[in-house]
Amino acid sequence: MAGYLVEDQKKITSTRFTQMKAQGKKIAMLTSYDYTMAQIIDAAGVDSILIGDSASNVMAGNDTTLPITLDQMIYHARSVARGAKRAFVICDMPFGTYQISREDGIRNAVRLMQETGVDCLKLEGGVEIIDTVRGIINAGIPVCGHLGLTPQSVYKFGGFGLRAREEAEANKLLSDAKLLEEAGCCAVVLEKIPAELANKVTAALNIPTIGIGAGNGCDGQVLVGQDMLGMNRGFKPKFLRHFADLYTAITDGVGDYVRAVKDGSFPNADEAY
Ligand code: KIV
């Protein structure tokens, strides 16, 4: 199938992205870390592409997102931005680039924008980082928040389990979401929280909520591209649906190639100069 699966091929900007909620349009977001995949998913109609710091897990094989550096994120983000024509492109600020001080956060945010060509940056946290979020937005940079399971804090949480089950954490999350909206964020990702809480946050905000493991009441959904395409067999949390089985498609294709090389049928006469 060629071309976009959506009628409107106009570039999605931060304002159009935020307006999608008021227009009742659900937002489909996927992660990507490279040019080739960004081109494919952009043409297939995703509204937004996230260069997640999950690149640390998916591309580099780390157990957490903490090891990925600013330089490495810049490399991934630049590659994705070159491939995306229509989608709103969001890049994660990696661990350590905005937690040290407001000034440091703004400096790193400016560098990410200058060197990559992405449309927006995503930061994990609420009240703890709100001054930095304000500073980045004041510098003219769109920001997407991220609450609930914030993987950069995995060692504080003690694991990747469901967040905000208890009333106190749920209340803090709702108040953080409102703070992020007041600060000028264009959206908030809600990761691995009870669906009922995600619905409450979604109803309380004018900006879109993008859920992952947060039920279907959010204004949009995000998944890791490799996970939803079935490339990572060992990872199947409850919230994940496999929309394809690329693990099988790739092993079948590679198996056919290996057989053809070994039995001498590749390349054939038409494939030679
Ligand atoms: O890094 C990432 O892929 C993310 C999504 C899971 C939201 O932050």
Side-chain angles (χ1 to χ4, degrees):
M1 192 177 316
Y4 290 101
L5 300 180
V6 287
E7 279 165 23
D8 181 0
Q9 296 185 20
K10 248 182 24 210
K11 167 79 185 164
I12 301 181
T13 59
S14 65
T15 26
R16 288 192 68 210
F17 186 70
T18 302
Q19 281 163 0
M20 286 177 78
K21 175 168 181 148
Q23 294 164 348
K25 293 180 183 164
K26 287 267 192 184
I27 296 169
M29 182 191 288
L30 281 179
T31 67
S32 171
Y33 319 105
D34 69 277
Y35 172 77
T36 304
M37 191 62 97
Q39 269 194 317
I40 296 171
I41 67 174
D42 184 71
V46 290
D47 300 305
S48 178
I49 300 179
L50 171 67
I51 304 108
D53 56 1
S54 52
S56 175
N57 311 84
V58 179
M59 304 308 284
N62 293 310
D63 289 335
T64 75
T65 57
L66 275 66
I68 199 159
T69 65
L70 185 58
D71 285 340
Q72 289 165 341
M73 284 302 289
I74 287 173
Y75 169 80
H76 287 296
R78 203 185 272 152
S79 311
V80 168
R82 277 194 212 109
K85 300 284 174 274
R86 172 182 174 273
F88 184 57
V89 181
I90 305 177
C91 180
D92 267 339
M93 289 195 72
F95 178 66
T97 61
Y98 59 96
Q99 291 91 346
I100 293 166
S101 73
R102 183 176 175 275
E103 285 65 30
D104 198 40
I106 299 170
R107 192 178 306 110
N108 288 326
V110 167
R111 190 169 162 224
L112 263 168
M113 293 302 285
Q114 264 180 340
E115 296 186 25
T116 64
V118 300
D119 302 313
C120 176
L121 302 178
K122 177 163 80 60
L123 283 72
E124 297 182 4
V127 64
E128 310 80 9
I129 58 155
I130 202 70
D131 286 342
T132 305
V133 168
R134 286 196 192 104
I136 294 172
I137 294 172
N138 283 342
I141 300 170
V143 170
C144 174
H146 184 157
L147 299 171
L149 173 62
T150 46
Q152 292 177 11
S153 303
V154 62
Y155 292 113
K156 185 173 97 183
F157 295 149
F160 293 100
L162 186 72
R163 301 308 312 173
R165 276 182 221 258
E166 307 300 333
E167 200 181 339
E169 193 179 338
N171 288 342
K172 179 180 181 300
L173 191 146
L174 180 59
S175 126
D176 281 345
K178 289 179 182 166
L179 267 182
L180 290 167
E181 174 168 85
E182 277 161 29
C185 284
C186 63
V188 185
V189 167
L190 300 176
E191 180 165 355
K192 235 174 165 184
I193 62 169
E196 202 181 312
L197 175 61
N199 295 347
K200 202 166 161 187
V201 175
T202 302
L205 301 186
N206 291 310
I207 57 172
T209 57
I210 313 293
I212 172 163
N216 74 1
C218 293
D219 301 302
Q221 297 292 328
V222 58
L223 286 174
V224 167
Q226 277 82 350
D227 293 344
M228 55 80 73
L229 291 172
M231 294 172 81
N232 181 3
R233 281 202 162 166
F235 185 64
K236 186 69 182 76
K238 183 178 156 83
F239 67 79
L240 177 62
R241 187 187 297 179
H242 286 159
F243 287 84
D245 181 5
L246 288 200
Y247 187 94
T248 302
I250 292 170
T251 46
D252 285 354
V254 172
D256 288 349
Y257 165 75
V258 170
R259 264 187 298 279
V261 170
K262 292 197 184 284
D263 69 17
S265 63
F266 177 80
N268 62 24
D270 290 341
E271 290 160 339
Y273 295 96

